[in-house]
Structures are given as structure tokens and as C-alpha cells.
Amino acid sequence: MALREHLLELRKRLFLAACGLVAGALVGWVLYEPLLEALQAPLQQAAEEQNKVISLNFSGLASALDMKVKVSLFLGVIVSCPWWLYQLWAFITPGLTSKEKRYAVGFLAGSVPLFLGGALLAWWVLPHAVDILAGFVPEGATNLADAQGYLSFVMRLVLAFGLAFVMPVVLVALNSAGLMRASTMAQGWRWAVLIAFVFAAVMTPTPDALTMIFVALPICALYFGALGISYLHDRRADKRDAARLAL
């Protein structure tokens, strides 16, 4: 394709991706009330259990509207992720071989459910994190959490877990592209396990080790799953190279 055609194709894909984000944001706008209730549930639960005043605080006149827009966009990004990932895939497809296209489809098909799975795990961790953090509020004090800051905290938690679950797909992609062999990944498995548990310890500020283990084990399992897939790919690639040399 000529440069002008590439730019036109890019504009088309960006427009379609933006349309998907807007449609997802509209869904988020409609579902804002139940979603806000779900976001406030961990705060209310911590307030009841600890007998403290803990709630969201909207500090300005426009804060409530700003919160609604941000929550709608945040949910729109998550809901429409299969659509805008497909647009990215459709843009790069013309430059791929048929074999690379199959790999790309597999990577996208694996990335979406893994990202959503990580987001669900973050949602499960959220009440535990809120409960332990609220425990540092002194007796008799009131914790009016800033709505914008609380939303940013939840978004970072969800995105961190989502991206952590997608990392094994990235490793398989690097291996398929010939940039990293399975033997290299195997040599660093101890570091990978250590990083997974450190990540779980940092992202789950709870005193019990059981929650940390529940978070770290899926990440470790995904890493070793990526390692196994990479080993199979390397073995097939080595057999093809040996056959070519024999000819």
C-alpha cells in the first residue's frame, strides 16, 4: 500500500475504534448508578465492620459529573476492548504473512479473556485492599475518600492485574518472533516467580498470606504455560531448521 493509503486506512481504523469506545462509554453512562454502587460497596462494608465513617467525597460542584464521565469511559474501554483490539489487528493484517496472521489471531484471542480475567481478580482483591487500608484510620476520625482519587486507585488496580495476566501472551509472541527462546525463559523462572509474589504482595495490602498466594499462583501458572508453549514452538522450529540443513 502507498503511504496515502496507509494513512487513510489508519484514519478508518482509528475512527472505528473511537466509535466502539463511544458505544462502550454510552453503556457505561447507562450503567453508572449500579457501577457506582458496586464501587462504593467495599467502602460501606469497611465502615460497617470497623464502625467508622468511610464514604466517597465529591469536593467540587463539577466533581460528580467528572466522576460519571470518567467511570463511563473506563467501563467503555473495558467493554469495547475486543473491538478496538480487532481494529489494531485489521490495520496490521495487510503486512503479515498467512502464518503470521494465524499467530496474531491467537494472540488477540488469548489477550482479551486474560485481561478480563485479571480485571475480575482485581475486583475480588479490591474489598480486601479497602478493608486493610481503612483500618489505619484512627478511632473517632472520619475518612472521606476523594472520589477522583478512589477511582484512580481502582483503575490502577484493574489495569495492573489485567496487564499482568497479558504478559504471558507477550512472552509467547516474543518467542514466536524469534526474539526469545524458551531456554532463556526457563533460566529466569525463579525471578519470574519472585516477581509474581512481590507483585501480589504489593497489590494486595492485606495481612494474610493466603490472599497473596491466591493472586500469585495464577500469574505463575500463566508464566509456566507460556514457557510450555514456547518449548513446543522451539522444538518444531529446530526440527524445521534441521530438515532444511539436511536438504
Side-chain angles (χ1 to χ4, degrees):
M1 296 174 65
L3 177 60
R4 184 173 182 275
E5 293 175 335
H6 273 297
L7 294 176
L8 290 175
E9 179 70 12
L10 177 61
R11 185 180 67 176
K12 173 186 174 183
R13 295 303 169 186
L14 288 176
F15 175 75
L16 292 174
C19 290
L21 289 174
V22 171
L26 290 176
V27 174
W29 186 274
V30 173
L31 299 177
Y32 172 71
E33 292 297 335
L35 182 59
L36 183 61
E37 291 180 3
L39 286 172
Q40 293 185 91
L43 297 175
Q44 296 170 351
Q45 180 180 351
E48 293 176 359
E49 292 179 354
Q50 301 180 22
N51 195 23
K52 298 176 181 177
V53 179
I54 304 172
S55 63
L56 287 183
N57 177 45
F58 295 90
S59 56
L61 290 177
S63 296
L65 176 60
D66 192 29
M67 179 77 167
K68 188 170 184 177
V69 172
K70 288 184 177 180
V71 170
S72 300
L73 289 174
F74 178 56
L75 186 61
V77 171
I78 295 178
V79 170
S80 63
C81 69
W83 175 251
W84 53 260
L85 283 173
Y86 169 75
Q87 297 306 321
L88 173 64
W89 139 254
F91 176 70
I92 65 175
T93 293
L96 300 178
T97 64
S98 57
K99 181 179 179 181
E100 290 171 336
K101 289 178 183 178
R102 292 196 299 270
Y103 283 140
V105 171
F107 296 146
L108 286 178
S111 298
V112 172
L114 285 176
F115 179 83
L116 295 177
L120 288 175
L121 183 60
W123 193 258
W124 174 75
V125 168
L126 178 61
H128 302 276
V130 170
D131 184 63
I132 192 66
L133 292 175
F136 289 98
V137 178
E139 290 293 334
T142 299
N143 187 357
L144 299 178
D146 180 67
Q148 303 290 341
Y150 179 68
L151 177 62
S152 298
F153 169 74
V154 175
M155 290 172 63
R156 287 196 299 268
L157 189 69
V158 170
L159 291 177
F161 274 85
L163 293 177
F165 271 52
V166 172
M167 281 306 297
V169 179
V170 176
L171 294 176
V172 173
L174 293 175
N175 175 260
S176 300
L179 300 177
M180 179 185 294
R181 289 186 62 84
S183 56
T184 303
M185 295 170 56
Q187 291 173 0
W189 74 267
R190 294 179 180 84
W191 284 105
V193 172
L194 177 62
I195 291 172
F197 274 88
V198 170
F199 172 82
V202 172
M203 299 307 296
T204 57
T206 56
D208 60 300
L210 190 60
T211 301
M212 181 188 70
I213 293 173
F214 280 153
V215 172
L217 285 181
I219 299 175
C220 293
L222 289 171
Y223 176 83
F224 286 107
L227 178 60
I229 294 174
S230 299
Y231 261 124
L232 293 176
H233 174 266
D234 286 349
R235 187 160 62 178
R236 289 195 298 266
D238 292 342
K239 287 183 179 179
R240 287 196 301 267
D241 293 340
R244 290 172 185 172
L245 292 175
L247 295 177

